[in-house]
């Protein structure tokens, strides 16, 4: 499927040699000449492109493992805190079901939402990429190449959650089971990236709703995650 190009103003910091040096008759070393020719090839057509759906899902899988680890750790802390403060017996995972419903709704669920929003919000705001995105040189940004604001990060997260939540609710209403809820949410997540595959510009649904884009950066322009943090 042929996709039309989306123009995104991304400045590429490419270090190249001057034309005078390249054309200098004093350069006779074959290794030096070969190096200059390779450098010339690198400076041509090195541009950021719209990230492919498969690459983006691989980054999500990587980030998902990190988020699950953080959620598990916070879950354990909240269970211990809740059982101690409420005077309940036990402090292991089995005691989560004995915690009051109000504690789960007011404390645990909001804590999980804060972790999810904070994880993506902080990384997108500071560096434009998470740990998983760094592995595949992906970067989320505005159409003009600038990093997202907190408001834009929230909009992108909400837009990305829209389809999974809607599909999850439909699945739960039909089958009345938690398994159907999670499976339907997963189908909604896949549909986000299926949309990117059929979209002419390669944009996912949450790209369009939030007016942001995820790019695949060239190696010569990829600063890395922590370089972006150091600039702030």
């Amino acid at each position: 499927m042929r996709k039309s190009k989306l123009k995104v103003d991304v400045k590429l910091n490419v270090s190249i040699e001057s034309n005078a040096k390249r054309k200098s008759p004093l350069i006779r070393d074959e290794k030096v000449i070969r190096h200059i020719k390779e450098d010339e090839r690198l400076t041509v057509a090195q541009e950021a492109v719209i990230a492919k759906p498969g690459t983006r899902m691989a980054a999500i899988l990587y980030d998902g493992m990190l988020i699950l680890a953080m959620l598990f750790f916070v879950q354990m802390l909240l269970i211990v805190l809740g059982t101690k403060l409420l005077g309940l017996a036990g402090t292991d995972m089995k005691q989560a079901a004995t915690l009051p419903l109000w504690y789960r709704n007011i404390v645990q669920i909001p804590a999980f939402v804060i972790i999810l929003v904070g994880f993506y919000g902080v990384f997108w705001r500071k560096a434009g990429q998470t740990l998983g995105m760094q592995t595949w040189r992906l970067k989320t940004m505005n159409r003009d190449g600038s990093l997202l604001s907190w408001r834009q990060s929230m909009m992108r997260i909400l837009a990305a959650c829209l389809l999974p939540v809607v599909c999850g609710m439909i699945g739960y209403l039909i089958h009345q089971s938690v398994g159907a809820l999670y499976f339907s949410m997963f189908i909604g997540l896949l549909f986000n990236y299926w949309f990117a595959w059929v979209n002419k510009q390669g944009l996912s649904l949450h790209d369009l709703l939030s007016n942001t884009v995820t790019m695949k950066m060239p190696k010569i322009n990829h600063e890395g995650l922590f370089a972006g943090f150091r600039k702030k």
Side-chain angles (χ1 to χ4, degrees):
M1 183 175 296
R2 188 175 183 180
K3 298 180 183 295
S4 61
K5 290 187 177 180
L6 176 68
K7 293 184 178 179
V8 179
D9 184 15
V10 181
K11 295 180 179 179
L12 301 183
N13 299 318
V14 182
S15 177
I16 61 175
E17 301 177 35
S18 65
N19 290 332
K21 184 176 179 180
R22 288 176 182 165
K23 296 179 180 180
S24 172
L26 298 177
I27 300 178
R28 295 188 177 90
D29 192 303
E30 292 184 359
K31 291 184 179 180
V32 175
I33 294 174
R34 185 163 55 249
H35 173 75
I36 292 175
K37 289 182 178 179
E38 290 176 355
D39 182 67
E40 288 177 342
R41 286 196 295 269
L42 283 173
T43 59
V44 178
Q46 284 287 353
E47 58 181 6
V49 296
I50 301 295
K52 295 181 180 179
T55 307
R56 296 172 65 172
M57 291 197 68
I60 287 178
L61 180 63
Y62 188 106
D63 287 331
M65 292 187 289
L66 297 175
I67 293 174
L68 285 176
M70 289 190 294
L71 290 178
F72 179 81
F73 179 73
V74 172
Q75 170 83 333
M76 290 296 298
L77 289 180
L78 293 178
I79 290 173
V80 172
L81 181 63
T83 53
K84 292 294 185 182
L85 293 179
L86 300 175
L88 301 174
T91 57
D92 57 18
M93 289 293 290
K94 294 181 180 179
Q95 302 304 316
T98 66
L99 291 170
L101 184 62
W102 68 263
Y103 183 82
R104 281 178 273 171
N105 292 336
I106 297 178
V107 178
Q108 289 180 290
I109 294 178
F112 297 158
V113 174
I114 291 173
I115 290 173
L116 178 63
V117 173
F119 179 84
Y120 282 104
V122 169
F123 281 113
W124 285 343
R125 180 70 187 89
K126 296 294 184 180
Q129 55 186 183
T130 61
L131 293 170
M133 295 172 70
Q134 179 188 232
T135 305
W136 283 273
R137 304 196 314 277
L138 305 183
K139 196 167 187 177
T140 296
M141 61 186 74
N142 291 306
R143 300 292 181 90
D144 61 359
S146 62
L147 295 178
L148 276 59
S149 64
W150 280 107
R151 178 176 174 274
Q152 291 171 317
S153 297
M154 284 292 300
M155 289 180 60
R156 183 176 173 85
I157 292 170
L158 291 175
C161 292
L162 179 62
L163 271 178
V165 170
V166 171
C167 292
M169 292 176 63
I170 294 174
Y172 184 79
L173 290 174
I174 294 175
H175 296 283
Q176 296 291 314
S177 68
V178 177
L181 171 68
Y182 291 146
F183 180 76
S184 300
M185 290 181 70
F186 178 70
I187 295 299
L189 177 66
L190 292 180
F191 185 83
N192 268 337
Y193 295 99
W194 175 83
F195 185 88
W197 185 69
V198 299
N199 181 265
K200 290 183 178 180
Q201 294 180 331
L203 299 176
S204 65
L205 188 60
H206 52 279
D207 290 331
L208 295 173
L209 292 176
S210 61
N211 198 30
T212 57
V213 64
T214 298
M215 307 294 293
K216 174 83 170 182
M217 307 301 293
K219 290 182 180 180
I220 56 174
N221 188 52
H222 184 56
E223 295 180 331
L225 176 65
F226 297 105
F229 271 91
R230 286 195 295 269
K231 288 183 177 181
K232 302 299 175 181

